[in-house]
Amino acid sequence: MTKLKEHALWIISGDILGRGMSFLASIYLARLLGAEYYGLILFGISLLGYANWFSDMGLYQIGSREKAKPPEKRIYRIIEIFNLRLILGVGVLMTSALLLYVIDFDTEQKQVLLGFLISLIPYMFLMEWFYAGKQDFSKITLSKTIQGSVYLGLIVLMVHSSNEIHLVPLFYTSGVMLATIILGVFAISDKPFSLPSRGKQIYPDLFKNSTIIGLGQLSSQVIQLLPPILLGLFMTFEMAGVYGVAFKVVILVMIIDRVFVQLLLPNLASSWVSSKGDTNDKIQMTYRIAVCVGSVIALFTALSSEHLITWLFGDAYMESIYLLKILSLFIGFTFVNSLFSFGLIATNHDTEYFKATVSGGSISAVLLILASYLGNLTTVTVTVVLSEVIITGFAYQQFKQVFRGRYLKPFSIVITLTVTLYFIFEIIPIPALVSGVIASTILVFALIRFKVLTADDLNWIKTKVLT
């Protein structure tokens, strides 16, 4: 267990440092460049995210899994996975560059977007998946920290006006490249390519298996990456920037969800092997904790949104305050979805996870496209929350077939308490941040009073985190 928590802490540290640096860069760029140019940057990063998804398509997970096995039990060799990543990466880069050429963007916009796509080249060679399989998370944390630090440092030192926006993707690529080189240097001593490829006949089968895993990640790609792209295409880059500022706060807050996943859910995998009945009891407890933590954070974010936006991004993004209030609902549902989705993965129900994410992600993509084309910024934001609800619903349908229990009653109590406290404190004339702190504190005590969160739950959290 100690080793598991050590690994989890390394993963969390890398996530916090990497996202933290990216968040600081976002604050700087949003304040400096304004909503329109910041929206263009978000469009480029989202475009790169999709390019990365298509060029990897589950190979990260397969590579990590194969590396974790003894060499004699591996289905695919490290060099074969590496080669397929290169092949897919080149194909995706060429296709993406062609699409950019066809779409009606001006010269400056195309320059920025193509600059971000060039980052795909070092990403092809990035050996993070190899060290994830080796469980050497300290090296991954180091590479993420250096990548974020280089990007943030160069941005602050070299970008001082919108005339220098073309430098942003160059500095982003520089950070990725340095992280790739660092892991590549470490890999020299680990000799990952000691076994040669067995020939081209292996790659179709590898691609087929990786695609199943890659498509299972569809829902997260739709929710996080699609809205800025659709807003840029169907509306304006300025609207993409206004939305992106609100969602950046959500992403920062959701680091807590990442901690939840890494520290609590891995226990389900080990208990599932030893005792399925015991796992079902732990699931009920973990579910109550997830619902409660998600609701408390969502309530605080909704009520404190004015201070969070203005303190971090400035008065120019007042419109983002309303959007963040709406997106706070996304936070609560994401905590629940994390339990359902990762709970299925942790207990080897990959097929059920695949069905839920592909079904929910596909419907969500259609809804977001329609909302962006026919609606406005508020409509798109509401649809993002609705999409997370839909994805959570599909995950729940699959989850409850494996784990029987009482899920709706505690959820109903939490929703009722949270919504009631929100509307009460919205009309009380006190500072937003103070309102968020007081309301979320009251919610914690109310959840304990209504026995949604029990003393056993709190003791279990303490035991799992501190021992």
Side-chain angles (χ1 to χ4, degrees):
M1 183 62 67
T2 302
K3 197 70 173 178
L4 174 64
K5 290 182 178 177
E6 180 184 338
H7 291 162
L9 288 173
W10 275 116
I11 294 171
I12 293 166
S13 298
D15 201 51
I16 291 175
L17 290 170
R19 292 194 184 198
M21 297 293 181
S22 174
F23 187 75
L24 291 175
S26 295
I27 293 175
Y28 179 81
L29 291 170
R31 283 178 169 270
L32 177 70
L33 303 178
E36 181 179 358
Y37 283 111
Y38 180 62
L40 175 61
I41 290 172
L42 286 179
F43 187 100
I45 292 176
S46 298
L47 190 64
L48 173 62
Y50 266 109
N52 252 325
W53 178 52
F54 280 110
S55 64
D56 180 81
M57 197 52 73
L59 287 171
Y60 186 109
Q61 286 75 16
I62 287 184
S64 301
R65 185 175 65 194
E66 294 300 304
K67 172 57 186 173
K69 298 177 183 177
E72 66 276 6
K73 293 187 177 181
R74 292 174 187 166
I75 301 174
Y76 306 107
R77 295 178 178 177
I78 302 302
I79 187 63
E80 294 165 350
I81 297 167
F82 184 82
N83 287 344
L84 186 55
R85 281 174 59 88
L86 292 183
I87 294 169
L88 292 178
V90 171
V92 170
L93 181 58
M94 294 175 63
T95 304
S96 302
L98 180 61
L99 288 175
L100 277 184
Y101 178 78
V102 174
I103 297 176
D104 185 24
F105 291 130
D106 64 38
T107 303
E108 183 182 51
Q109 292 169 347
K110 288 185 178 181
Q111 182 183 10
V112 171
L113 298 179
L114 185 58
F116 277 111
L117 281 178
I118 290 175
S119 297
L120 190 59
I121 296 175
Y123 270 127
M124 296 179 206
F125 295 91
L126 187 64
M127 295 290 288
E128 184 179 314
W129 53 273
F130 175 80
Y131 284 101
K134 194 179 178 183
Q135 296 196 322
D136 193 346
F137 298 110
S138 61
K139 289 185 175 63
I140 296 176
T141 297
L142 175 63
S143 70
K144 286 184 175 181
T145 303
I146 291 176
Q147 176 183 335
S149 300
V150 169
Y151 177 51
L152 175 61
L154 290 174
I155 288 293
V156 173
L157 288 174
M158 304 296 292
V159 179
H160 302 115
S161 72
S162 58
N163 294 328
E164 297 162 326
I165 189 174
H166 63 281
L167 295 175
V168 175
L170 176 63
F171 296 152
Y172 186 93
T173 303
S174 300
V176 179
M177 186 175 297
L178 188 55
T180 301
I181 291 172
I182 288 171
L183 289 185
V185 171
F186 284 131
I188 293 175
S189 60
D190 290 319
K191 298 182 173 65
F193 308 133
S194 55
L195 295 176
S197 173
R198 290 165 292 180
K200 61 182 180 180
Q201 73 281 355
I202 199 71
Y203 295 104
D205 182 65
L206 173 57
F207 178 70
K208 178 182 178 181
N209 288 330
S210 70
T211 300
I212 294 174
I213 298 176
L215 289 176
Q217 302 166 340
L218 177 64
S219 60
S220 63
Q221 304 300 318
V222 167
I223 295 294
Q224 295 191 27
L225 301 179
L226 192 57
I229 294 177
L230 293 175
L231 289 171
L233 289 175
F234 296 134
M235 297 184 189
T236 65
F237 286 123
E238 181 179 0
M239 289 186 178
V242 171
Y243 169 85
V245 160
F247 198 76
K248 275 292 182 182
V249 177
V250 172
I251 292 297
L252 182 68
V253 172
M254 291 311 298
I255 290 178
I256 301 173
D257 177 63
R258 175 80 164 169
V259 174
F260 170 77
V261 169
Q262 294 297 333
L263 289 181
L264 295 183
L265 294 186
N267 292 276
L268 300 178
S270 57
S271 64
W272 179 256
V273 175
S274 58
S275 173
K276 291 181 173 57
D278 187 45
T279 302
N280 203 67
D281 294 336
K282 289 182 178 179
I283 283 287
Q284 301 301 309
M285 183 179 294
T286 308
Y287 172 75
R288 292 194 299 271
I289 294 170
V291 172
C292 292
V293 172
S295 64
V296 170
I297 296 174
L299 180 61
F300 172 79
T301 304
L303 291 172
S304 307
S305 57
E306 180 179 350
H307 280 173
L308 291 174
I309 293 294
T310 54
W311 284 2
L312 293 171
F313 294 96
D315 295 334
Y317 292 94
M318 297 297 290
E319 191 177 355
S320 300
I321 296 172
Y322 176 65
L323 302 183
L324 181 56
K325 288 181 180 293
I326 298 173
L327 288 171
S328 62
L329 292 170
F330 175 89
I331 297 172
F333 280 98
T334 299
F335 269 85
V336 178
N337 186 35
S338 291
L339 172 64
F340 293 155
S341 298
F342 288 98
L344 290 172
I345 294 173
T347 54
N348 298 320
H349 291 88
D350 295 347
T351 302
E352 289 80 359
Y353 168 74
F354 175 81
K355 290 178 182 177
T357 54
V358 171
S359 299
S362 300
I363 294 174
S364 299
V366 173
L367 291 177
L368 283 169
I369 292 171
L370 291 174
S372 302
Y373 186 72
L374 301 174
N376 53 33
L377 191 53
T378 301
T379 307
V380 173
T381 307
V382 171
T383 306
V384 168
V385 176
L386 177 61
S387 297
E388 185 67 10
V389 174
I390 291 171
I391 293 168
T392 302
F394 275 102
Y396 169 68
Q397 290 299 320
Q398 296 295 329
F399 189 82
K400 73 176 184 178
Q401 295 179 22
V402 180
F403 302 103
R404 302 293 179 181
R406 300 172 63 188
Y407 299 107
L408 295 181
K409 182 178 179 180
F411 183 78
S412 301
I413 294 174
V414 169
I415 286 291
T416 302
L417 290 172
T418 304
V419 172
T420 301
L421 284 170
Y422 172 77
F423 283 110
I424 290 174
F425 278 86
E426 267 289 282
I427 62 176
I428 298 177
I430 57 177
L433 189 62
V434 175
S435 177
V437 171
I438 295 175
S440 56
T441 302
I442 293 175
L443 179 58
V444 171
F445 285 106
L447 293 171
I448 295 173
R449 175 65 181 81
F450 283 89
K451 296 182 179 180
V452 179
L453 196 63
T454 66
D456 290 338
D457 298 341
L458 298 173
N459 289 331
W460 188 70
I461 295 174
K462 182 179 178 181
T463 300
K464 295 304 177 184
V465 173
L466 298 181
T467 61

PDB file of all heavy atoms in Angstrom, residues 69 112 126 131 181 191 207 218 300 320 353 356 367-368 459:
ATOM      1  N   LYS A  69       4.412  -5.822 -18.015  1.00  0.00           N
ATOM      2  CA  LYS A  69       4.490  -7.287 -18.037  1.00  0.00           C
ATOM      3  C   LYS A  69       5.943  -7.742 -18.158  1.00  0.00           C
ATOM      4  O   LYS A  69       6.799  -7.015 -18.649  1.00  0.00           O
ATOM      5  CB  LYS A  69       3.705  -7.834 -19.244  1.00  0.00           C
ATOM      6  CG  LYS A  69       2.225  -7.523 -19.254  1.00  0.00           C
ATOM      7  CD  LYS A  69       1.613  -8.059 -20.531  1.00  0.00           C
ATOM      8  CE  LYS A  69       0.140  -7.715 -20.655  1.00  0.00           C
ATOM      9  NZ  LYS A  69      -0.416  -8.190 -21.955  1.00  0.00           N
ATOM     10  N   VAL A 112      -0.497  30.476 -36.145  1.00  0.00           N
ATOM     11  CA  VAL A 112      -0.585  30.069 -34.745  1.00  0.00           C
ATOM     12  C   VAL A 112      -1.043  28.618 -34.629  1.00  0.00           C
ATOM     13  O   VAL A 112      -0.459  27.813 -33.881  1.00  0.00           O
ATOM     14  CB  VAL A 112      -1.535  31.000 -33.966  1.00  0.00           C
ATOM     15  CG1 VAL A 112      -1.794  30.451 -32.563  1.00  0.00           C
ATOM     16  CG2 VAL A 112      -0.956  32.399 -33.881  1.00  0.00           C
ATOM     17  N   LEU A 126       7.663  11.125 -27.396  1.00  0.00           N
ATOM     18  CA  LEU A 126       7.612  11.208 -25.934  1.00  0.00           C
ATOM     19  C   LEU A 126       7.404   9.822 -25.325  1.00  0.00           C
ATOM     20  O   LEU A 126       6.439   9.132 -25.641  1.00  0.00           O
ATOM     21  CB  LEU A 126       6.485  12.156 -25.506  1.00  0.00           C
ATOM     22  CG  LEU A 126       6.386  12.480 -24.025  1.00  0.00           C
ATOM     23  CD1 LEU A 126       7.621  13.226 -23.542  1.00  0.00           C
ATOM     24  CD2 LEU A 126       5.123  13.302 -23.745  1.00  0.00           C
ATOM     25  N   TYR A 131       7.542   4.912 -19.192  1.00  0.00           N
ATOM     26  CA  TYR A 131       7.848   5.050 -17.768  1.00  0.00           C
ATOM     27  C   TYR A 131       6.613   4.896 -16.896  1.00  0.00           C
ATOM     28  O   TYR A 131       6.729   4.563 -15.710  1.00  0.00           O
ATOM     29  CB  TYR A 131       8.551   6.391 -17.520  1.00  0.00           C
ATOM     30  CG  TYR A 131       9.983   6.340 -17.974  1.00  0.00           C
ATOM     31  CD1 TYR A 131      10.375   6.898 -19.188  1.00  0.00           C
ATOM     32  CD2 TYR A 131      10.939   5.672 -17.231  1.00  0.00           C
ATOM     33  CE1 TYR A 131      11.681   6.809 -19.631  1.00  0.00           C
ATOM     34  CE2 TYR A 131      12.261   5.575 -17.664  1.00  0.00           C
ATOM     35  CZ  TYR A 131      12.618   6.150 -18.864  1.00  0.00           C
ATOM     36  OH  TYR A 131      13.914   6.043 -19.302  1.00  0.00           O
ATOM     37  N   ILE A 181      13.158  15.060 -24.839  1.00  0.00           N
ATOM     38  CA  ILE A 181      14.600  14.795 -24.820  1.00  0.00           C
ATOM     39  C   ILE A 181      15.025  14.222 -23.471  1.00  0.00           C
ATOM     40  O   ILE A 181      15.817  13.267 -23.400  1.00  0.00           O
ATOM     41  CB  ILE A 181      15.381  16.094 -25.125  1.00  0.00           C
ATOM     42  CG1 ILE A 181      15.163  16.501 -26.579  1.00  0.00           C
ATOM     43  CG2 ILE A 181      16.876  15.912 -24.842  1.00  0.00           C
ATOM     44  CD1 ILE A 181      15.740  17.860 -26.929  1.00  0.00           C
ATOM     45  N   LYS A 191      17.279   0.846 -22.303  1.00  0.00           N
ATOM     46  CA  LYS A 191      17.263   0.021 -23.515  1.00  0.00           C
ATOM     47  C   LYS A 191      15.852  -0.489 -23.852  1.00  0.00           C
ATOM     48  O   LYS A 191      15.597  -1.698 -23.860  1.00  0.00           O
ATOM     49  CB  LYS A 191      18.211  -1.168 -23.371  1.00  0.00           C
ATOM     50  CG  LYS A 191      19.673  -0.765 -23.192  1.00  0.00           C
ATOM     51  CD  LYS A 191      20.557  -1.998 -23.107  1.00  0.00           C
ATOM     52  CE  LYS A 191      22.024  -1.637 -23.109  1.00  0.00           C
ATOM     53  NZ  LYS A 191      22.463  -0.872 -21.945  1.00  0.00           N
ATOM     54  N   PHE A 207      -3.089  -1.858 -33.970  1.00  0.00           N
ATOM     55  CA  PHE A 207      -3.950  -0.698 -34.187  1.00  0.00           C
ATOM     56  C   PHE A 207      -5.401  -1.012 -33.834  1.00  0.00           C
ATOM     57  O   PHE A 207      -6.103  -0.179 -33.234  1.00  0.00           O
ATOM     58  CB  PHE A 207      -3.853  -0.240 -35.636  1.00  0.00           C
ATOM     59  CG  PHE A 207      -4.739   0.926 -35.970  1.00  0.00           C
ATOM     60  CD1 PHE A 207      -4.478   2.185 -35.463  1.00  0.00           C
ATOM     61  CD2 PHE A 207      -5.866   0.752 -36.770  1.00  0.00           C
ATOM     62  CE1 PHE A 207      -5.296   3.268 -35.758  1.00  0.00           C
ATOM     63  CE2 PHE A 207      -6.684   1.820 -37.074  1.00  0.00           C
ATOM     64  CZ  PHE A 207      -6.400   3.077 -36.568  1.00  0.00           C
ATOM     65  N   LEU A 218     -13.400   8.759 -25.688  1.00  0.00           N
ATOM     66  CA  LEU A 218     -14.117   9.744 -26.502  1.00  0.00           C
ATOM     67  C   LEU A 218     -14.805  10.808 -25.664  1.00  0.00           C
ATOM     68  O   LEU A 218     -14.772  11.993 -25.992  1.00  0.00           O
ATOM     69  CB  LEU A 218     -15.145   9.031 -27.387  1.00  0.00           C
ATOM     70  CG  LEU A 218     -16.048   9.918 -28.254  1.00  0.00           C
ATOM     71  CD1 LEU A 218     -15.204  10.678 -29.268  1.00  0.00           C
ATOM     72  CD2 LEU A 218     -17.111   9.081 -28.956  1.00  0.00           C
ATOM     73  N   PHE A 300     -19.000  25.763  -3.609  1.00  0.00           N
ATOM     74  CA  PHE A 300     -18.008  26.815  -3.367  1.00  0.00           C
ATOM     75  C   PHE A 300     -17.647  27.539  -4.662  1.00  0.00           C
ATOM     76  O   PHE A 300     -17.572  28.772  -4.697  1.00  0.00           O
ATOM     77  CB  PHE A 300     -16.746  26.208  -2.747  1.00  0.00           C
ATOM     78  CG  PHE A 300     -15.607  27.184  -2.638  1.00  0.00           C
ATOM     79  CD1 PHE A 300     -15.562  28.113  -1.614  1.00  0.00           C
ATOM     80  CD2 PHE A 300     -14.590  27.197  -3.590  1.00  0.00           C
ATOM     81  CE1 PHE A 300     -14.520  29.035  -1.519  1.00  0.00           C
ATOM     82  CE2 PHE A 300     -13.548  28.113  -3.513  1.00  0.00           C
ATOM     83  CZ  PHE A 300     -13.513  29.040  -2.472  1.00  0.00           C
ATOM     84  N   SER A 320     -17.473  35.654 -18.062  1.00  0.00           N
ATOM     85  CA  SER A 320     -17.083  34.295 -17.683  1.00  0.00           C
ATOM     86  C   SER A 320     -17.640  33.898 -16.318  1.00  0.00           C
ATOM     87  O   SER A 320     -17.731  32.701 -16.017  1.00  0.00           O
ATOM     88  CB  SER A 320     -15.561  34.171 -17.668  1.00  0.00           C
ATOM     89  OG  SER A 320     -15.003  34.456 -18.929  1.00  0.00           O
ATOM     90  N   TYR A 353     -17.285  -0.102 -19.639  1.00  0.00           N
ATOM     91  CA  TYR A 353     -16.741   1.259 -19.692  1.00  0.00           C
ATOM     92  C   TYR A 353     -16.746   1.781 -21.129  1.00  0.00           C
ATOM     93  O   TYR A 353     -17.131   2.926 -21.387  1.00  0.00           O
ATOM     94  CB  TYR A 353     -15.317   1.260 -19.138  1.00  0.00           C
ATOM     95  CG  TYR A 353     -14.542   2.530 -19.403  1.00  0.00           C
ATOM     96  CD1 TYR A 353     -14.821   3.693 -18.686  1.00  0.00           C
ATOM     97  CD2 TYR A 353     -13.540   2.567 -20.369  1.00  0.00           C
ATOM     98  CE1 TYR A 353     -14.119   4.865 -18.936  1.00  0.00           C
ATOM     99  CE2 TYR A 353     -12.833   3.735 -20.614  1.00  0.00           C
ATOM    100  CZ  TYR A 353     -13.124   4.876 -19.902  1.00  0.00           C
ATOM    101  OH  TYR A 353     -12.433   6.032 -20.156  1.00  0.00           O
ATOM    102  N   ALA A 356     -20.316   2.712 -22.270  1.00  0.00           N
ATOM    103  CA  ALA A 356     -20.816   3.933 -21.627  1.00  0.00           C
ATOM    104  C   ALA A 356     -20.178   5.181 -22.223  1.00  0.00           C
ATOM    105  O   ALA A 356     -20.876   6.151 -22.552  1.00  0.00           O
ATOM    106  CB  ALA A 356     -20.551   3.869 -20.122  1.00  0.00           C
ATOM    107  N   LEU A 367     -24.864  16.968 -29.680  1.00  0.00           N
ATOM    108  CA  LEU A 367     -25.534  18.066 -28.980  1.00  0.00           C
ATOM    109  C   LEU A 367     -24.678  19.327 -28.971  1.00  0.00           C
ATOM    110  O   LEU A 367     -25.187  20.447 -29.163  1.00  0.00           O
ATOM    111  CB  LEU A 367     -25.864  17.641 -27.543  1.00  0.00           C
ATOM    112  CG  LEU A 367     -26.942  16.568 -27.381  1.00  0.00           C
ATOM    113  CD1 LEU A 367     -27.107  16.210 -25.911  1.00  0.00           C
ATOM    114  CD2 LEU A 367     -28.271  17.051 -27.950  1.00  0.00           C
ATOM    115  N   LEU A 368     -23.382  19.172 -28.760  1.00  0.00           N
ATOM    116  CA  LEU A 368     -22.492  20.331 -28.726  1.00  0.00           C
ATOM    117  C   LEU A 368     -22.374  20.997 -30.098  1.00  0.00           C
ATOM    118  O   LEU A 368     -22.326  22.229 -30.201  1.00  0.00           O
ATOM    119  CB  LEU A 368     -21.108  19.906 -28.226  1.00  0.00           C
ATOM    120  CG  LEU A 368     -20.996  19.676 -26.711  1.00  0.00           C
ATOM    121  CD1 LEU A 368     -19.672  19.008 -26.364  1.00  0.00           C
ATOM    122  CD2 LEU A 368     -21.131  20.999 -25.963  1.00  0.00           C
ATOM    123  N   ASN A 459     -13.599   8.296   8.727  1.00  0.00           N
ATOM    124  CA  ASN A 459     -12.489   7.489   9.254  1.00  0.00           C
ATOM    125  C   ASN A 459     -11.814   6.691   8.148  1.00  0.00           C
ATOM    126  O   ASN A 459     -10.593   6.509   8.151  1.00  0.00           O
ATOM    127  CB  ASN A 459     -12.993   6.550  10.346  1.00  0.00           C
ATOM    128  CG  ASN A 459     -13.364   7.282  11.617  1.00  0.00           C
ATOM    129  OD1 ASN A 459     -12.791   8.332  11.919  1.00  0.00           O
ATOM    130  ND2 ASN A 459     -14.322   6.749  12.361  1.00  0.00           N
TER     131      ASN A 459
END
